[in-house]
Each structure stands twice: as C-alpha cells, then as structure tokens.
Amino acid sequence: MDSVQIETTAPLTLEFTQIPSPPTAISSNSRISKDTIRTSLKASTADCVLASVYSLGTGGILLSNLLVELGASPVVFGMLSSIPMLVNLIQPLGAYLSERSTSRFQYLLRTHGIGRLIWLILVIGIVSASLGVIDAHQLVILTLLIVLFSNLLGGLGSASWLSWLAMIVPRRLRGRYFGTRNSAASLTNLVCVPMAGLVVSHWYGGTLQGYGVVLLVSIVFGIVGLGCQYFQVDMNPQAQNTYYGKSPQTSEIQSEVAKDESSEVLQSIHLPQEQLANSIWKNSNFLVFLLYFSFWALAVNLSSPFFNLYMLDTLDLDVSYVTIYNSLQAGATLLMLILWGKLADKIGNRPILICIGILVGVTPLLWLGIGVNRLDIWLWLPLLHILTGGTWAAIDLCSNNIQLGIAPTKNQSIYFAIAAAVAGASGALGTTIGSFLVQFTQSGGLLGLFALSGLFRLVALVPLMFLQEPQRG
C-alpha cells in the first residue's frame, strides 16, 4: 500500500473532534496535509488486512467446519448466517448514537473492541469442551450467542465506520482505492486461509483444539487492527453534520462528497432532526437502491450459507480442501478487484452491477452437476470458486461505491445504517427460508435451493434499471 498515490489540488480543511483523540486528529479549522490523507488511507488498508485475519477465525469456512464437527443441523447453519444480517437492524440506533459522539475513533474502539474481545469466551468454551466440562450441544449454543453479541456490537459501529471512511476517501479515487484495499484483504485470505485450514485439520490435539488456536490468533490480529485506526485522521460527527453552515471553506473531500447531492437534501441541512425521515422518503434514488439492495440480499442468502455445508457435509470433503477452494476464490478476487476499481471509475458502477449480476445470478445453477468424483473435486469446484471470486469482487465493490455516492453528507451514517438494516433483514429472511427448506425437504433440497436462488438473483437486478448513479468527479 506504500504505492497508493493521493492527488490533491487544494488545501484540505475539515472540522475535527475537540476531545483527546489520536495524534493524527486535527483541531477545528486546521488544514490537512496530503501526507495525513495518505497516512489515513494506508492505516485503513492495514486495518483491513488485519481484520481479514480476524474474520477468517471468527467466521467463514473455519467456523462452519466447527459446527459440522459438533453435529449442528442446517437450521443452525442458517442461524449462523442470518444473525450477522439480522443484527443490522440495530444499525440505525448505532448511527443515531455515533452522530452524537465527538470522535469516530473512540466510538468504534468501544463497539468493535468489545465485540472482538467477546470471542475470547469461545476460546474458553473450546478449552472447556476439550476437558469434558461442556458437551457439543452446549458449545454450539455458546457459539451462536457469541456470534449474536459480537455482531450486535459490530452493528452499532458499522455505519459510523463507513461514514468515517467516506469522508476520508476522495470520490474520484474510491474505485481505485477500495479496489486496492480489498485486494490487500484478498491476498491475506489467499495466504492465511489454507494455512489456518491445515492447522485445524492437522493439529495434534484434534480439529476442535486446532480451531481454538486459530481463533485466539485471529482475535489478537483483530485487536491490533483496531489500533491501526488510531493513525486515521479522526472526525467529529457533529461537526460533519454542521460544517456547511460553519466553515466558509470546505475540504476537497467534503465538496466531492457533496457536489452530487440534490438541492432538496442541501436545503434539509438546516431542518430539525425530526424531518430527516421526510428527506429520506423524498430521496427516490436512495429508495430504488434500497429495493435492489434488499431483494438482492434475500436472493443471495437463500443459498450462499449452504455452499460450504454442501461441500463439508454432502460431499464430505476435508476442511483443508475447502480452505484451498476459498483461497482460490480470494486469489481471483485479488486479481480482479483493481481491474473492477479502475473500470468503475471509468464507466460507472451501475453497468458493472447489471452485467456481472447476471453472471452471479446463474452461478448457483453451475452447482447442480457437482458430485463426488475426481473431475469435480479437482477441476470444477476450483473453477467455480475462481468464477465466484472474480464476479463478487465487482458486486461488492460497486455496491459499496454506489451507496457512498447516493447517501448525502448530512447524517450520512443514518443512510448507511438504514441500507444495512433493510438488507440485513432481507438477507436473514432469505437464510431462514433456505435453512428450513433444506431441513424439511428430502434429498436434493440443497440443489433445488441453489436453482431457486439463481432465479431470484436475476429478478433482483430489475431495480438497477431505474437507478440513477451520481456523476463521478
């Protein structure tokens, strides 16, 4: 990330927190140097890399494998996937609280810091299970509870984090920067996921103890990642919501974020807080995005939580094989993210979402012919994961960019929270429906679910035809 170049054409002026804060924070009406912007972006990338290590231990294939080893049912897998989405309903509350804080950094340190430390309880639970103090069923329940509370705390801070990053990254660099940032995370997964899988499957004390070791290491990396945010230039949310009326000179970052907002939204800056809901309802472009985002989340999550279950349970593959597949997916994401970022800056995000969305829609249908044979295990499954990594790199990047462009600067985290809450509820509903369909249907239920999800994904793309993407500056 040392090679990321940030070009600025004018001095940057922002209002920042007035309470004790990171050394890189700048007091009110002071100017931000180019080096400070670069340092903030590099710190955010380092945080992303370390958070990727944290995530591989607290979710994904390794956590799914733990539940398979403990004999969890498909309904439990559905709950595991739906909890992180369902708790997004708390994001509006988190955004409300964050907008009344005076430091993005300190607010996120409280929410994400506690949320990551909670996973130490599961480490203790794994040790207790190894000693015979608790049984497998109790450990499954403990795992779900930790997932719930950790994600609740994360949900309280997610909108504030995204708003913080939206103010730091200039609009014209978003595609390239987020492409590079996400590529760094994908490279981390490419290297670390197979290593973690080998540790879990070959640990001398068994897979349960092996996962406990990986989880402990992941937690340490997660806490260090939060420390990287100390080097990001801090912001006062209250100043962000009022800077139009306070400062005659706004920053390049802020002006780029604001320049595509409608006059209606700009006029609403001085309206009372209770009229925020009216401004949201009048923002038809945001509502169209919500329709797409929610239905897409439902369609995707009908099947996405069950691909790992299909490989680990139905195909009975060893976890080390599945982690290799996930690494191939991360590698494809790594290779394609920078390309998608540059392309999004050039032609826009909406065309990419529509075209690649069609490909993502038909991908679940490609699982219908997968079986337990050498050709499928060594050729088709790796190719499927490579395809998934390359296409989802575009979907995630462009969806994030469009959301950043549509949300106005005023009460920005509120808009992010609403989008996350709506998509989270829809995604949780999709996962719940999928888990019950798998649980209570006969053999072949997973394959039928994959086909249904593919159909729904294609229908979910229709609202994008009516979405107007903000101009790129």
mmCIF file of all heavy atoms in Angstrom, residues 14 42 79 120 150 170 204 268 283 348 393 425 435 446 453:
data_model
loop_
_atom_site.group_PDB
_atom_site.id
_atom_site.type_symbol
_atom_site.label_atom_id
_atom_site.label_comp_id
_atom_site.label_asym_id
_atom_site.label_seq_id
_atom_site.Cartn_x
_atom_site.Cartn_y
_atom_site.Cartn_z
ATOM 1 N N LEU A 14 -11.024 20.612 7.356
ATOM 2 C CA LEU A 14 -12.102 19.852 7.991
ATOM 3 C C LEU A 14 -12.221 20.283 9.440
ATOM 4 O O LEU A 14 -11.265 20.773 10.034
ATOM 5 C CB LEU A 14 -11.815 18.340 7.952
ATOM 6 C CG LEU A 14 -11.821 17.647 6.581
ATOM 7 C CD1 LEU A 14 -11.340 16.217 6.749
ATOM 8 C CD2 LEU A 14 -13.211 17.642 5.991
ATOM 9 N N LYS A 42 -3.479 4.519 4.239
ATOM 10 C CA LYS A 42 -2.625 3.363 4.485
ATOM 11 C C LYS A 42 -3.006 2.666 5.794
ATOM 12 O O LYS A 42 -2.997 1.429 5.879
ATOM 13 C CB LYS A 42 -1.158 3.796 4.533
ATOM 14 C CG LYS A 42 -0.607 4.236 3.177
ATOM 15 C CD LYS A 42 0.828 4.716 3.298
ATOM 16 C CE LYS A 42 1.365 5.185 1.944
ATOM 17 N NZ LYS A 42 2.757 5.687 2.035
ATOM 18 N N MET A 79 -29.001 -20.086 11.078
ATOM 19 C CA MET A 79 -28.914 -19.085 12.140
ATOM 20 C C MET A 79 -27.541 -18.426 12.149
ATOM 21 O O MET A 79 -27.429 -17.213 12.348
ATOM 22 C CB MET A 79 -29.192 -19.743 13.492
ATOM 23 C CG MET A 79 -30.620 -20.245 13.670
ATOM 24 S SD MET A 79 -30.860 -21.104 15.242
ATOM 25 C CE MET A 79 -30.556 -19.768 16.398
ATOM 26 N N LEU A 120 -13.066 -14.227 22.969
ATOM 27 C CA LEU A 120 -12.227 -14.959 23.932
ATOM 28 C C LEU A 120 -13.058 -15.942 24.754
ATOM 29 O O LEU A 120 -12.542 -16.963 25.234
ATOM 30 C CB LEU A 120 -11.513 -13.971 24.855
ATOM 31 C CG LEU A 120 -10.400 -13.129 24.211
ATOM 32 C CD1 LEU A 120 -9.903 -12.063 25.188
ATOM 33 C CD2 LEU A 120 -9.238 -14.024 23.760
ATOM 34 N N SER A 150 -21.400 -10.373 19.430
ATOM 35 C CA SER A 150 -20.299 -9.743 18.720
ATOM 36 C C SER A 150 -20.809 -8.929 17.539
ATOM 37 O O SER A 150 -20.363 -7.798 17.300
ATOM 38 C CB SER A 150 -19.309 -10.808 18.241
ATOM 39 O OG SER A 150 -18.281 -10.238 17.462
ATOM 40 N N PRO A 170 -11.387 10.507 -1.217
ATOM 41 C CA PRO A 170 -11.968 11.376 -2.249
ATOM 42 C C PRO A 170 -12.797 10.572 -3.237
ATOM 43 O O PRO A 170 -12.446 9.445 -3.582
ATOM 44 C CB PRO A 170 -10.731 11.983 -2.930
ATOM 45 C CG PRO A 170 -9.636 11.862 -1.919
ATOM 46 C CD PRO A 170 -9.916 10.611 -1.163
ATOM 47 N N TYR A 204 -2.389 -31.652 16.480
ATOM 48 C CA TYR A 204 -2.194 -32.934 17.163
ATOM 49 C C TYR A 204 -3.293 -33.220 18.186
ATOM 50 O O TYR A 204 -3.592 -34.381 18.497
ATOM 51 C CB TYR A 204 -0.817 -32.973 17.841
ATOM 52 C CG TYR A 204 -0.678 -32.021 19.006
ATOM 53 C CD1 TYR A 204 -0.962 -32.431 20.313
ATOM 54 C CD2 TYR A 204 -0.244 -30.708 18.809
ATOM 55 C CE1 TYR A 204 -0.827 -31.562 21.382
ATOM 56 C CE2 TYR A 204 -0.110 -29.839 19.867
ATOM 57 C CZ TYR A 204 -0.404 -30.273 21.158
ATOM 58 O OH TYR A 204 -0.282 -29.395 22.217
ATOM 59 N N SER A 268 -32.137 20.634 3.323
ATOM 60 C CA SER A 268 -32.588 19.986 4.552
ATOM 61 C C SER A 268 -31.544 20.009 5.649
ATOM 62 O O SER A 268 -31.810 19.570 6.762
ATOM 63 C CB SER A 268 -32.943 18.512 4.254
ATOM 64 O OG SER A 268 -31.774 17.780 3.961
ATOM 65 N N ASN A 283 -36.034 11.090 -1.200
ATOM 66 C CA ASN A 283 -34.845 10.715 -1.977
ATOM 67 C C ASN A 283 -35.163 9.424 -2.749
ATOM 68 O O ASN A 283 -34.864 8.316 -2.318
ATOM 69 C CB ASN A 283 -33.657 10.504 -1.031
ATOM 70 C CG ASN A 283 -32.341 10.400 -1.782
ATOM 71 O OD1 ASN A 283 -32.303 10.021 -2.952
ATOM 72 N ND2 ASN A 283 -31.253 10.741 -1.100
ATOM 73 N N GLY A 348 -18.523 3.738 -14.594
ATOM 74 C CA GLY A 348 -19.573 3.777 -13.589
ATOM 75 C C GLY A 348 -19.816 2.410 -12.958
ATOM 76 O O GLY A 348 -19.382 1.372 -13.476
ATOM 77 N N ALA A 393 -16.121 -9.821 -6.544
ATOM 78 C CA ALA A 393 -15.261 -8.652 -6.364
ATOM 79 C C ALA A 393 -15.924 -7.425 -6.964
ATOM 80 O O ALA A 393 -15.907 -6.329 -6.378
ATOM 81 C CB ALA A 393 -13.900 -8.896 -7.012
ATOM 82 N N ALA A 425 -32.147 -7.488 7.230
ATOM 83 C CA ALA A 425 -33.403 -8.175 7.496
ATOM 84 C C ALA A 425 -33.795 -9.068 6.322
ATOM 85 O O ALA A 425 -34.230 -10.218 6.510
ATOM 86 C CB ALA A 425 -34.506 -7.153 7.771
ATOM 87 N N SER A 435 -32.717 -22.321 5.134
ATOM 88 C CA SER A 435 -32.394 -23.354 6.123
ATOM 89 C C SER A 435 -33.571 -24.278 6.381
ATOM 90 O O SER A 435 -33.404 -25.499 6.525
ATOM 91 C CB SER A 435 -31.932 -22.701 7.421
ATOM 92 O OG SER A 435 -32.967 -21.927 7.997
ATOM 93 N N LEU A 446 -30.812 -29.121 -1.210
ATOM 94 C CA LEU A 446 -29.803 -28.093 -1.413
ATOM 95 C C LEU A 446 -29.710 -27.688 -2.884
ATOM 96 O O LEU A 446 -29.628 -26.502 -3.213
ATOM 97 C CB LEU A 446 -28.441 -28.589 -0.923
ATOM 98 C CG LEU A 446 -28.118 -28.392 0.557
ATOM 99 C CD1 LEU A 446 -26.809 -29.065 0.906
ATOM 100 C CD2 LEU A 446 -28.060 -26.912 0.898
ATOM 101 N N SER A 453 -32.436 -19.843 -5.814
ATOM 102 C CA SER A 453 -31.646 -18.647 -5.533
ATOM 103 C C SER A 453 -31.174 -17.982 -6.826
ATOM 104 O O SER A 453 -31.201 -16.755 -6.950
ATOM 105 C CB SER A 453 -30.437 -19.011 -4.668
ATOM 106 O OG SER A 453 -29.589 -17.906 -4.475
#
